[in-house]
Amino acid sequence: MGIYLNPPADGFEDILKDDIYVDKTELIAYTNQVLGTTRKLTCFSRPRRFGKSFAAQMLVAYYSKGTKSEHLFKDLKIAKDIEEKSHYKQYLNQCDVLFWDMTWFITNARNIEDTVKDLQRKIIFELKREFTDCIEQETIALPEALLQISAVTGRKFFIIIDEWDALFREAQTDQRLQEEYIQLLRGLFKGIQVSRFLSGAYMTGILPIKKYGTQSALTDFYEYTMLEPGPLAEFVGFTEQEVKKLCEQYRMDMEEVKNWYDGYSFDGVLSVYSPRSVVNSMRFRKISNYWNQTETFEALQMYIDMNFEHLKDDVLSMIAGESVAVNTESFTNDMATFRTEDDVLTLLIHLGYLAYDDKTKTVKIPNSEI
């Protein structure tokens, strides 16, 4: 049991102790299906307070060799899935997991410019304690250290990164640091040697993977976003069925809850609700503005004030209940590069302020809370 290598399940255990818990463990069935295949790299981005860290903690608790967590899952959906494709017993606490939260390293680095170096130094230090004499003394690159361990032991790693894009949000104008970080991710997830030390990866974040030019820097990842969540759509937020069950339990008006917190819609999942807002409305037995309390209006106003191509007029149209056409293709997946109104609107989709309709290629304000 370590800090970054095979961590314990205490994070997920705390989540389960909460007064309101919505079971999303069937996400594990998906990650089990792709583990060790050509689809083993998953990046699932969605807005803040939509359960990203909860999902990461759940996967850590399930896969990590550093814990025994069967008692945590025994009454949850994944343990009751009788289909063989879920592989529940096969992978439970059977993987060498590397887990880190990028915001932790940013917060605790001596300088934000040292974040990538500090991350690798601390994780390699822990790896050297566990895999004695496997890592060469002069090794300072994490991908190289993992490859050296695999060459000696044959072990492979499942890497889970929470808030993978935090560095792009916190160091928006530091091109050198961003490129250094992308180089680390390339080393971990791209190239012919990667399959020797990597069994799978799961990254959470708000933004899709950063583009340089017109190409993604990490083309081998299967990306699921607020534009295209694909098979993970039901895990973006709470579904209609889940919210209805909570409303019955806490005697809340489903119609009112829907008006305030619904509004995101995807193929196969027509209603997706903001999780934090639903939970707090149940907890306090009151409809109110919960999700937006986690960020100041100034953060949103900054983008609207750019006013590309009459952006403010389109925002007013959306406040009046209309939808606005958007082209999401030019967005470079960062929070500093904006050339058109479409770039700003696309960012607001990823931040959760706007709901995207893939069929009509339009956006709208999703609900009364927003």
Side-chain angles (χ1 to χ4, degrees):
M1 182 187 301
I3 300 173
Y4 311 110
L5 174 66
N6 292 327
D10 46 5
F12 185 56
E13 192 167 8
D14 288 348
I15 292 168
L16 292 178
K17 290 176 182 176
D18 210 346
D19 56 337
I20 299 176
Y21 172 72
V22 174
D23 187 346
K24 292 290 188 178
T25 55
E26 287 177 318
L27 174 63
I28 295 169
Y30 172 81
T31 54
N32 281 347
Q33 285 176 40
V34 301
L35 195 66
T37 73
T38 57
R39 297 180 294 140
K40 62 180 174 283
L41 305 180
T42 300
C43 183
F44 189 11
S45 58
R46 43 197 163 136
R48 57 194 167 78
R49 307 304 184 191
F50 267 62
K52 297 186 299 296
S53 297
F54 280 21
Q57 293 283 1
M58 176 186 73
L59 294 177
V60 168
Y62 173 77
Y63 286 109
S64 174
K65 279 184 176 179
T67 189
K68 298 295 181 186
S69 62
E70 186 170 5
H71 66 288
L72 299 178
F73 290 96
K74 65 182 178 65
D75 295 322
L76 301 178
K77 289 179 181 178
I78 186 62
K80 298 175 182 177
D81 191 339
I82 60 174
E83 294 187 41
E84 288 186 14
K85 66 181 182 180
S86 72
H87 304 291
Y88 170 66
K89 289 283 189 179
Q90 181 179 350
Y91 296 118
L92 179 63
N93 302 136
Q94 295 300 309
C95 296
D96 282 306
V97 169
L98 276 179
F99 168 66
W100 66 87
D101 174 1
M102 278 305 301
T103 58
W104 169 266
F105 283 103
I106 292 169
T107 302
N108 291 283
R110 290 182 292 262
N111 302 292
I112 194 169
E113 295 84 0
D114 298 326
T115 300
V116 177
K117 291 183 178 66
D118 282 355
L119 183 156
Q120 296 183 87
R121 177 176 55 81
K122 290 175 180 176
I123 295 177
I124 289 174
F125 176 79
E126 192 167 320
L127 288 168
K128 283 181 175 179
R129 285 191 307 182
E130 178 68 21
F131 299 99
T132 310
D133 299 328
C134 290
I135 303 174
E136 297 173 9
Q137 190 62 38
E138 66 273 14
T139 300
I140 59 173
L142 179 57
E144 192 175 348
L146 296 177
L147 183 60
Q148 290 168 8
I149 292 169
S150 180
V152 175
T153 66
R155 305 267 281 271
K156 291 188 177 185
F157 297 86
F158 189 96
I159 298 178
I160 301 171
I161 306 176
D162 193 17
E163 301 286 358
W164 85 272
D165 59 331
L167 205 57
F168 293 110
R169 289 183 270 126
E170 295 294 329
Q172 296 182 21
T173 60
D174 193 332
Q175 187 80 6
R176 184 204 61 78
L177 180 59
Q178 290 183 18
E179 290 180 359
E180 183 183 7
Y181 182 42
I182 283 290
Q183 282 300 105
L184 169 61
L185 296 179
R186 277 200 183 106
L188 289 171
F189 304 125
K190 193 175 180 68
I192 197 166
Q193 299 283 16
V194 166
S195 61
R196 294 188 60 187
F197 63 77
L198 192 68
S199 61
Y202 180 92
M203 299 198 306
T204 80
I206 293 175
L207 299 177
I209 291 173
K210 167 74 176 172
K211 292 179 182 177
Y212 282 99
T214 59
Q215 298 299 317
S216 169
L218 297 169
T219 53
D220 292 339
F221 266 88
Y222 280 75
E223 286 199 76
Y224 304 105
T225 71
M226 294 298 284
L227 296 174
E228 296 181 5
L232 304 188
E234 65 180 290
F235 305 111
V236 169
F238 289 171
T239 64
E240 185 108 333
Q241 187 177 6
E242 290 164 344
V243 175
K244 186 177 181 181
K245 186 176 178 181
L246 288 172
C247 285
E248 290 171 355
Q249 181 180 349
Y250 289 89
R251 299 181 180 178
M252 293 289 289
D253 186 332
M254 178 66 184
E255 196 97 9
E256 194 174 9
V257 171
K258 184 177 181 65
N259 181 53
W260 268 77
Y261 308 128
D262 186 15
Y264 308 96
S265 182
F266 311 107
D267 286 343
V269 186
L270 297 180
S271 290
V272 173
Y273 292 68
S274 170
R276 178 189 176 92
S277 301
V278 170
V279 167
N280 281 342
S281 69
M282 302 298 150
R283 184 171 286 143
F284 298 113
R285 306 293 205 283
K286 180 183 178 183
I287 297 293
S288 188
N289 184 355
Y290 298 109
W291 182 68
N292 288 346
Q293 291 173 2
T294 64
E295 188 169 68
T296 63
F297 172 69
E298 284 70 23
L300 174 61
Q301 184 181 7
M302 176 179 68
Y303 301 113
I304 296 174
D305 281 348
M306 292 178 180
N307 203 25
F308 289 113
E309 302 156 347
H310 311 295
L311 173 60
K312 288 183 180 179
D313 292 336
D314 282 342
V315 169
L316 290 173
S317 295
M318 287 188 286
I319 289 173
E322 298 176 20
S323 295
V324 172
V326 63
N327 180 350
T328 62
E329 298 298 321
S330 65
F331 184 56
T332 57
N333 300 343
D334 65 35
M335 301 179 79
T337 309
F338 300 98
R339 305 181 187 90
T340 66
E341 174 183 7
D342 287 329
D343 292 340
V344 177
L345 293 177
T346 305
L347 174 64
L348 296 183
I349 295 169
H350 292 299
L351 294 178
Y353 288 110
L354 296 177
Y356 178 65
D357 187 325
D358 184 52
K359 292 182 176 62
T360 61
K361 311 298 181 188
T362 59
V363 288
K364 64 179 182 179
I365 296 173
N367 52 47
S368 294
E369 182 178 39
I370 304 297

